[in-house]
Each structure stands twice: as structure tokens, then as C-alpha cells.
Amino acid sequence: MKKIAVSIHANKEFSLDPIERLEGFDYIHVDICDGKFTPIKNLYFDVFTILNKKYQIPIIAHMMVIDPINYINKIIEFVDIFTFHYEIDGNKEEVIDEVRNSNKLVGIAINPDTPISSIVPFLNLIDLVLVMTVYPGGAGQKFLSNSIEKVNRLAEYKKNFEFLIDVDGGINLENAKMINADILSSTSTILKADDPNLVIRLLKSSG
């Protein structure tokens, strides 16, 4: 059974109201954007303290930022998995080491155009791979269908390495059945549903 992450944005419009009506989800996925890695800027870190007071559910911080190492100390005590993008210019192993030194799990996210082969050298160092199935940015984008093969190919590496596969972007009840992932991260499909808890249950049992 798949795990479900409810995906939200770290902006000042954040409200607990949409999440409070949800049941059965496994993670809270928080998007942090610096306005440079993507055009969108979401840097409202109070989201993490608010979530920690309300929930005991693990938090995945998805850092869509140019220099993730500058953000580690700002949020690391409030998150369980610190996930940064492979596409940054900086030293990736330095980021991994800094997160490890904080006794937290670390993940690498990859954009749709980044091949699986790029992250193979890091698979023995990380706990999670976040595969973007849309281009980083706002919610509600259309799922890129070639991502299915990409995710399923990544799953083959789990025979030799221990890591979770998280998929983020355009997830719905149809494509979820074809994705060999451990975690499905979703915003619109869950939060805009008439019966979001039914959607969570269906996503969890999607194969």
C-alpha cells in the first residue's frame, strides 16, 4: 500500500483548515521556493512551527532553492526529511552531510528533464528520491506521462539500495495505479476533491 503526502506551500496564505478535515494521510509535504530556482517564492517558515504544534505526522521539506545549505538550520528541527534538488550548482554531498549531522533523513529531488543516471552515485547516501512529474512551480499542472517509465526504472535500483520513491506533480487516481512509488504527494487531487478522505484511501490502495 502506498503512503500519501498532502502537499502544501509555505506561504503566508497557509491555513490549517484544508488539512484538518483530512484523515489517513502519512506525510505533510511542504514546498519551499526561493523565487530563483522557480519563479514562485514561498518562504514562510512559520508553517513548520504551526504544523509541528498540531501534528505528529512526518514532514517532508521540498527545497526548491538555489542554495539549500543556507536553509538547513532554519527548518531542520521541524522536518523529518530534508529534500533538495539535484539541479543545484553547489556541493550535493555537503548538503547531505549537513542534514545527516542534524540526525534527519535526506532526499534528492529531480526535475522531469534530469535522468535517473544522474543520481545513481548518490543512492547509497540518501533516504528518498523525489521524482518531479511536472516542472517545479505551482500546483495543478498536468502530469507528464513519460514519468511513469522513469519512476518504474528508478524502482529497479531498490534491489541494491535502500531509499523511498516519492512522486510529486499531477498525481490523480488514474496515473497513481501505474506508478511504482512508495509515496504519492498531492495537492489538488486531494484538497479540491468533494470527498478528500475517499481520494486518500483510493490513492493509498492504487497498487
Side-chain angles (χ1 to χ4, degrees), residues 132-135 138-144 167-176 179 185-189:
M132 295 297 298
T133 47
V134 299
Y135 289 95
Q141 295 184 60
K142 186 177 179 181
F143 178 86
L144 298 170
V167 177
D168 180 21
I171 299 299
N172 59 40
L173 295 176
E174 292 304 313
N175 57 41
I179 300 171
S185 292
S186 174
T187 303
S188 302
T189 294

Side-chain angles (χ1 to χ4, degrees), residues 67-184:
D67 194 358
I69 205 159
N70 285 341
Y71 294 87
I72 293 175
N73 289 335
K74 295 176 180 173
I75 66 168
I76 197 67
E77 69 176 295
F78 303 111
V79 308
D80 297 272
I81 308 175
F82 185 96
T83 301
F84 68 98
H85 269 262
Y86 170 82
E87 296 83 10
I88 64 168
D89 293 328
N91 187 315
K92 298 167 187 62
E93 291 193 15
E94 183 181 1
V95 180
I96 292 169
D97 288 344
E98 283 291 320
V99 177
R100 288 275 185 235
N101 289 339
S102 300
N103 296 314
K104 297 300 177 79
L105 303 181
V106 61
I108 287 183
I110 54 173
N111 285 345
D113 295 335
T114 300
I116 297 299
S117 57
S118 299
I119 61 166
V120 170
F122 300 96
L123 292 180
N124 64 326
L125 303 175
I126 60 176
D127 304 289
L128 178 143
V129 177
L130 175 60
V131 180
M132 295 297 298
T133 47
V134 299
Y135 289 95
Q141 295 184 60
K142 186 177 179 181
F143 178 86
L144 298 170
S145 59
N146 60 351
S147 302
I148 295 170
E149 181 184 353
K150 183 177 184 180
V151 173
N152 293 343
R153 190 164 65 251
L154 175 61
E156 291 295 310
Y157 286 93
K158 296 184 71 174
K159 297 174 182 176
N160 299 311
F161 302 97
E162 287 190 26
F163 61 92
L164 297 172
I165 299 176
D166 187 0
V167 177
D168 180 21
I171 299 299
N172 59 40
L173 295 176
E174 292 304 313
N175 57 41
K177 300 172 185 176
M178 299 179 278
I179 300 171
N180 190 7
D182 301 291
I183 305 169
L184 302 176

